[in-house]
Amino acid sequence: MTTVEQGRLGRAGLAVVLLAALLPMTDAFIVNVALPAIAGDLGASGAELELVVAGYGLAFTVFLVLGGRLGDAWGRRRVLVAGLVGFTVASLLCAVAGSGGWLVAARVLQGAAGALIPPQVLGTIQAAESPERRPRAMSFYAAAAGFAAILGLVLGGVLVQADLWGTSWRLVFLVNLPLGVVAVVLAVVLVPDTRSPRPMGVDVRGTVLLALVIVLLLVGLNRGPVLGWPWWVVVVLALVPVAVVALWRTEQRVVARGRVPLLPPSVLAAPKVRRGLLVVAPFLAAWAGYLFALPLTVQDGFGLAPAVAGLTVVPMSAAFLVGSFAVPRLRVKRGDGVLAAGALVQAAGVVWLLGVLAAGGAVWWIVPGLVLVGLGQALVVGSSQISVLGAVPGEFAGAGGGVLVTTQQGAMAVGVAGLGSVYTGLAGAGYATAFAVVLGVQLVVAIAVAVAGQREAMSSSAI
């Protein structure tokens, strides 16, 4: 079997794959609002709370491209169902966790299983949807990705505060059980099975080395601030460039053998791709640290209940969703200048939030700042995606998308570990101070991205 007849996905099948994609996307955010409740119930340390978020992102990053390769070779519906089953089982393990370490391990398993799902959704839409309906299907997928942040933050707060049957934070994972079972059954019945006629194979060494790079970064950044930067943490971080070089050379050898590597050097060799990734990586790292710190600040700092804390960030998520839909049209008019403008919009939002903290204003004063931050984030991320993917050689389009998503997810995992450690280390001196430091880092990064984006826009207009 190679592919199915185009157009066989249908509306019901599309709804099922979008539900499947929404589950791991939502769980990337749903746990953030539950972190204070987790800390209170399990006695989890700040470092463990960071790993509850970053561990999921790490596993999701490492297995995302690998999941695409497996679906191409073994059948996308088969791998989709396997991912949903694994994600559901891992959610149960998260829900019954008895310690912080247990929860971290279960979250890593959940991220690994969840990473198998999005590549199958995208691949199924590409292979089983008719060309005239494919753009609309992809727009629904993009909307689901944007909606996941809103749903996760709001649903997480509501479920924690509902505390049904005394489950507290555990309900944010238990809710995945019925949804996962329904998604598995409907996928088997309604989703056609497809696979690539020329599967690329699995780059095992590249996958292992990529995992090693991210693990070294996470361990160093997570434990360094907590333990006062002992010598072994310095050694761990010093090994990161060594692992990066080993990964690069391994991928070059894979290419020399005529195979497709996990991270194709030819993709990274394109100047615009390289510059785009160097811009978006620190931007997303700062964003992830901010998303980690924000729910903790509004709950433990401002004293809001979990449900109210979730609702607080709805304007930011809604602005992100609106901005995401606006990016394609804005880029037609402004090109790469959209990226610089987005970074400046976010910087303005961060300045507003810093002003609220300095003035000691009510929590609702932060709403305009959150809207600007969300809108700016959407403009930068959306514009950088279009720019990077547009610069990828046509024959490596799929691999280029994998490189972009891997960079995005890896940067966010590292951002939680780094800025999360800084935040939890300073929280003892006051949540306002700790959050102000995180915002300060985000402001510096946003300004640097604005400068880089403006240079890129000027360079593009001069060609």
Side-chain angles (χ1 to χ4, degrees), residues 267-290:
V267 172
L268 298 174
K272 195 161 187 176
V273 172
R274 196 165 56 246
R275 290 196 300 268
L277 295 178
L278 288 174
V279 165
V280 77
F283 193 77
L284 285 174
W287 170 253
Y290 162 81

Side-chain angles (χ1 to χ4, degrees), residues 2-334:
T2 56
T3 61
V4 298
E5 181 184 353
Q6 287 185 337
R8 274 191 54 194
L9 182 59
R11 293 181 179 178
L14 178 60
V16 172
V17 295
L18 291 177
L19 169 63
L22 197 59
L23 289 174
M25 291 178 185
T26 301
D27 258 58
F29 299 94
I30 197 171
V31 74
N32 288 31
V33 183
L35 291 176
I38 292 172
D41 185 30
L42 298 182
S45 66
E48 286 175 327
L49 292 180
E50 295 157 29
L51 291 177
V52 167
V53 179
Y56 182 93
L58 161 66
F60 197 87
T61 301
V62 171
F63 287 94
L64 195 62
V65 177
L66 180 63
R69 302 283 181 88
L70 293 175
D72 288 347
W74 295 350
R76 297 186 181 99
R77 185 178 63 190
R78 180 182 299 177
V79 178
L80 173 64
V81 170
L84 286 169
V85 170
F87 182 83
T88 304
V89 171
S91 297
L92 177 60
L93 294 176
C94 290
V96 299
S99 66
W102 179 342
L103 182 57
V104 169
R107 281 284 284 175
V108 170
L109 178 61
Q110 190 187 36
L116 301 179
I117 297 172
Q120 318 320 320
V121 173
L122 292 170
T124 299
I125 291 174
Q126 184 70 22
E129 192 62 282
S130 59
E132 61 272 13
R133 294 179 49 150
R134 197 176 299 147
R136 183 174 176 82
M138 291 301 295
S139 69
F140 282 137
Y141 178 86
F147 181 65
I150 302 174
L151 180 63
L153 293 170
V154 175
L155 186 60
V158 170
L159 292 176
V160 171
Q161 188 161 342
D163 193 21
L164 297 179
W165 310 290
T167 52
S168 182
W169 59 269
R170 301 177 191 275
L171 197 57
V172 304
F173 298 112
L174 289 173
V175 73
N176 290 330
L177 304 188
L179 293 176
V181 171
V182 169
V184 167
V185 173
L186 293 180
V188 172
V189 175
L190 298 174
V191 177
D193 199 10
T194 66
R195 66 181 66 186
S196 172
R198 293 180 296 276
M200 297 179 182
V202 177
D203 179 9
V204 177
R205 291 184 180 179
T207 302
V208 171
L209 285 170
L210 174 63
L212 179 62
V213 170
I214 301 176
V215 167
L216 290 173
L217 272 173
L218 284 181
V219 170
L221 295 176
N222 179 262
R223 306 312 300 169
V226 175
L227 301 178
W229 299 102
W231 66 268
W232 66 267
V233 171
V234 176
V235 171
V236 166
L237 291 176
L239 289 174
V240 172
V242 177
V244 169
V245 171
L247 174 61
W248 181 260
R249 291 181 176 176
T250 297
E251 301 300 74
Q252 287 181 318
R253 287 195 292 269
V254 172
V255 172
R257 296 190 187 104
R259 299 172 58 192
V260 179
L262 184 73
L263 303 174
S266 56
V267 172
L268 298 174
K272 195 161 187 176
V273 172
R274 196 165 56 246
R275 290 196 300 268
L277 295 178
L278 288 174
V279 165
V280 77
F283 193 77
L284 285 174
W287 170 253
Y290 162 81
L291 286 181
F292 173 83
L294 179 61
L296 290 171
T297 300
V298 296
Q299 289 182 77
D300 293 336
F302 286 93
L304 296 186
V308 182
L311 291 173
T312 302
V313 297
V314 167
M316 179 183 70
S317 301
F320 181 91
L321 187 60
V322 172
S324 298
F325 282 117
V327 167
R329 284 176 292 178
L330 289 174
R331 277 193 60 90
V332 171
K333 298 179 180 179
R334 302 297 181 183

Side-chain angles (χ1 to χ4, degrees), residues 270-287 331 336 338-344 346 376-377 379-385 387-388 404 407-408 411-412 441-442 444-457:
K272 195 161 187 176
V273 172
R274 196 165 56 246
R275 290 196 300 268
L277 295 178
L278 288 174
V279 165
V280 77
F283 193 77
L284 285 174
W287 170 253
R331 277 193 60 90
D336 289 326
V338 175
L339 188 147
L344 289 177
Q346 187 185 88
Q377 185 74 20
L379 296 180
V380 172
V381 173
S383 181
S384 65
Q385 285 179 335
S387 179
V388 169
L404 175 61
T407 301
Q408 291 174 331
M412 292 181 71
V441 172
Q442 191 176 17
V444 171
V445 172
I447 293 174
V449 168
V451 172
Q454 185 60 31
R455 288 179 178 174
E456 187 70 25

